[in-house]
């Protein structure tokens, strides 16, 4: 049996261990410290965001962003349906109601037309949404300029979920920097990892100061422990941030390696009838976090996504269906949704292929060979 070919596994560079060792040598193990400051600085330089708070996860960043927008029980928050559950969960932590929006077919992200329709509908029903949460899924930027124009028209804040899209841009501007706040993740499967971690980015200094305050138990400025607000334990540790500083040194390589994986799949599988890739619209740059294909059984003589997934699995190759939309999830289906069938179809026909930056050329060819043999 081949050794396992993973979907997206951690890929360390040469410097991570040195930053972690420095934390140990100086006994700076606890939260905060020079690695956290350094990592935040690196993220700002890379994304162009003015301010950053390094946090324990992307989910924590999303939770704090919603809290700072004043989202409370009974409020409504507009959320992309085609995503990982961590985009929507923090809305429910706060007792608010997610209103799910389906995707457009060009980037697979939040459909601006449905977004505007939903805003109008919710306002008519007496409730203006408190925030809009679009996602840049699989690294492909959403139609964020159109989404921002609609958000500005109705004066609703945007929190961009860029957890999968560090390094993705539109005309050179980083995803996560279009809205009021952006969420990043450094979970183990993302393009770079701190073993677990996340960040909130913004050009608004007050918001990031407030995020840091809330993330360290909302301690008032006093010698004793005094609290006027409920706090959270959401800061990134100095040890994890050391991994992040090392990973930032190789991020550009990781992006070109993932894009290379995509290009190879496209070159070798792109001509097969019934297999479709997701091209970049003009001006869009995807970090190609995961390469995804759509398999149309009507054009492949019945070969479908599951045929391929199960066959790959038998060869010890990990692949996975695309995210199951939130409006179809048992835990979320009771919430309002505005749908057009796009994300449901993507879920039914789509497959994520092994896409790690640490895949060898041979491993990519093994995947390709095991897909090609069906055709
Ligand atoms: C990974 C991910 C998150 C959550 O990030 P964590 O750091 O794992 O909490 C949120 N949204 C999307 C789209 C993700 O892929």
């Amino acid at each position: 049996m081949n050794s396992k070919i993973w979907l997206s596994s951690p890929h360390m560079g040469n410097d991570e261990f040195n930053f972690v060792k420095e934390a140990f040598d100086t006994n700076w193990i606890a939260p905060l410290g020079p690695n956290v400051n350094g990592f935040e600085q690196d993220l700002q330089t890379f994304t162009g965001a003015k301010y950053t708070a390094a946090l324990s996860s992307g989910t924590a960043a999303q939770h704090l962003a919603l809290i700072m927008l004043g989202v409370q029980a009974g409020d409504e928050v507009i959320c992309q349906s085609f995503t990982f559950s961590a985009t929507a969960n923090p809305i429910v932590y706060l007792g608010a109601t997610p209103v799910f929006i389906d995707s457009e077919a060009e980037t697979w992200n939040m459909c601006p037309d449905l977004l505007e329709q939903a805003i109008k509908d919710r306002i008519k029903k007496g409730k203006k949404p408190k925030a809009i949460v679009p996602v840049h899924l699989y690294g492909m930027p959403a139609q964020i300029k159109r989404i921002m124009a609609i958000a500005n028209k109705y004066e609703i804040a945007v929190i961009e979920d860029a957890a999968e899209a560090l390094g993705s841009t539109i005309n050179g501007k980083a995803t996560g920097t279009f809205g009021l706040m952006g969420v990043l993740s450094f979970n183990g499967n993302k393009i770079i990892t701190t073993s677990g971690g996340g960040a909130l980015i913004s050009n608004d200094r007050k918001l990031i100061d407030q995020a840091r305050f809330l993330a360290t138990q909302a301690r008032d400025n006093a010698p004793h422990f005094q609290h006027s607000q409920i706090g959270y334990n959401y800061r990134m540790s100095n040890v994890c941030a050391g991994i992040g500083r090392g990973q930032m040194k190789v991020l550009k390589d990781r992006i070109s390696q993932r894009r290379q994986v995509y290009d190879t799949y496209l070159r070798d599988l792109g001509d097969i009838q019934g297999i479709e890739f997701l091209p970049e619209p003009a001006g869009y740059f995807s970090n190609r976090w995961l390469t995804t294909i759509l398999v149309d059984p009507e054009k492949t003589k019945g070969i479908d996504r599951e045929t391929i997934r199960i066959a790959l699995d038998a060869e010890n190759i990990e692949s996975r269906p695309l995210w199951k939309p939130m409006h179809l999830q048992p835990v979320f289906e009771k919430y309002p949704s505005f749908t057009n069938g796009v994300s449901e179809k993507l879920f039914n026909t789509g497959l994520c292929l092994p896409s790690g930056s640490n895949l060898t050329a041979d491993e990519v060819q093994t995947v390709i060979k095991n897909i090609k043999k069906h055709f």
Side-chain angles (χ1 to χ4, degrees), residues 321-344:
L322 301 188
W323 298 120
K324 181 170 181 177
M326 294 304 112
H327 72 272
L328 301 175
Q329 295 284 356
V331 73
F332 291 123
E333 65 193 0
K334 63 174 180 261
Y335 295 112
S337 59
F338 290 78
T339 60
N340 55 15
V342 170
S343 65
E344 183 165 5

Side-chain angles (χ1 to χ4, degrees), residues 57-59 83-84 86-87 135 137 161 163-164 185-187 190 197 323:
S57 69
T59 310
T83 187
F84 176 48
T87 310
V135 187
L137 213 61
D161 182 342
E164 300 179 0
S185 168
F186 314 108
N187 195 31
K190 298 301 198 296
W323 298 120

Side-chain angles (χ1 to χ4, degrees), residues 32-69:
L32 307 182
N35 281 337
V36 174
N37 298 339
F39 185 44
E40 289 176 346
Q41 190 62 56
D42 290 346
L43 286 169
Q44 282 158 210
T45 307
F46 187 84
T47 61
K50 285 206 184 105
Y51 307 102
T52 308
L55 301 168
S56 53
S57 69
T59 310
Q62 180 80 3
H63 192 193
L64 292 182
L66 292 166
I67 289 167
M68 292 189 295
L69 291 176

Side-chain angles (χ1 to χ4, degrees), residues 264-265 268-269 364-373:
T264 306
Y265 284 131
D268 292 355
L269 300 171
V364 177
Q365 284 308 320
T366 302
V367 178
I368 288 166
K369 186 186 73 191
N370 280 289
I371 294 175
K372 265 193 164 166
K373 73 180 178 199

Side-chain angles (χ1 to χ4, degrees), residues 78 80 99-107 109-122 132 134 142-151 153-154 337-340 342:
I78 291 189
Q80 182 163 322
V99 176
F100 292 114
I101 308 292
D102 213 324
S103 296
E104 33 79 12
E106 208 187 349
T107 76
N109 292 305
M110 184 181 278
C111 172
D113 297 330
L114 281 183
L115 167 64
E116 183 154 29
Q117 195 183 314
I119 294 172
K120 283 184 180 157
D121 175 78
R122 303 325 281 178
I132 301 168
Q143 293 182 358
I144 193 69
K145 288 182 184 172
R146 282 195 63 203
I147 291 169
M148 287 307 302
I150 294 164
K153 178 171 160 192
Y154 294 93
S337 59
F338 290 78
T339 60
N340 55 15
V342 170

